[in-house]
Amino acid sequence: MSDERTPAEPEVMEPTFWRKNGWTARVIKNEEDDGWAVEIRKQGIAEPVLISPWVMGRDKKNPKPFDATAFATFVKTASEVLDRSARQRDQAMTKKLSIAWEGRWYEVRLELVADEYEPHALLSAIDDAGATVAKHRVPVNFKFNRDVANEWVRGGFYEP
């Protein structure tokens, strides 16, 4: 059985560079002023997840060295940034409407599928018990609004 994950990089804990558990924090010169910044990266992601100001050391010239608490705080903050970004991306890819018909509620969803070769969308209805009652593939530019969703539910979830 082959493991296709990216191999773990060795841990490094230097004054201005830490790498641990797939995260890297590096002190860099702050381009905005004369101070320092920390660049946080996650293994497998090309761009930095977070760039944040960093404090000067006691000599008021060089950056303060990292410690375990600072590294953990930056990793937690960067993880939250990734989580928020993923939620926003998911919300942008899914539209939802609640439709009532014949005494039942349905959540009608249009989920965009960003397929490189065949982009499309999935139109689905989930009943108030949480069961998917219909799911159809539709064009990416499928018109989705309350009138269309109502018509689809009242028409018996026909294939558009």
Side-chain angles (χ1 to χ4, degrees):
M1 182 168 106
S2 68
D3 187 357
E4 294 184 18
R5 292 179 300 158
T6 307
E9 296 177 328
E11 287 187 7
V12 177
M13 289 176 250
E14 297 174 356
T16 59
F17 180 81
W18 275 47
R19 182 184 312 133
K20 188 174 182 178
N21 298 330
W23 289 94
T24 302
R26 175 191 320 267
V27 175
I28 58 174
K29 188 73 177 134
N30 188 343
E31 301 296 329
E32 303 297 317
D33 62 27
D34 293 334
W36 300 94
V38 176
E39 173 185 87
I40 309 297
R41 293 179 174 266
K42 175 131 176 89
Q43 187 175 1
I45 298 177
E47 297 295 319
V49 174
L50 177 70
I51 297 177
S52 179
W54 186 238
V55 294
M56 297 277 197
R58 290 185 180 181
D59 65 2
K60 304 292 182 205
K61 194 166 42 167
N62 294 307
K64 179 181 173 185
F66 278 127
D67 57 25
T69 303
F71 182 76
T73 300
F74 279 121
V75 167
K76 181 178 184 285
T77 303
S79 294
E80 291 167 353
V81 167
L82 287 178
D83 290 345
R84 269 193 312 275
S85 176
R87 278 194 307 275
Q88 287 173 338
R89 187 175 50 253
D90 289 346
Q91 288 173 348
M93 298 292 283
T94 304
K95 297 176 184 176
K96 301 176 189 176
L97 290 170
S98 292
I99 305 294
W101 177 244
E102 294 184 338
R104 298 194 72 180
W105 281 95
Y106 298 94
E107 181 179 89
V108 179
R109 296 180 185 174
L110 182 70
E111 299 171 65
L112 300 177
V113 179
D115 184 295
E116 183 178 350
Y117 300 105
E118 291 185 56
H120 59 280
L122 297 172
L123 178 65
S124 61
I126 294 94
D127 68 14
D128 47 11
T132 301
V133 294
K135 190 176 227 175
H136 299 290
R137 184 177 173 145
V138 295
V140 148
N141 62 351
F142 181 82
K143 182 178 179 181
F144 185 76
N145 59 37
R146 185 159 301 282
D147 290 341
V148 169
N150 269 315
E151 180 186 323
W152 185 61
V153 170
R154 291 178 176 145
F157 312 103
Y158 56 88
E159 186 165 353

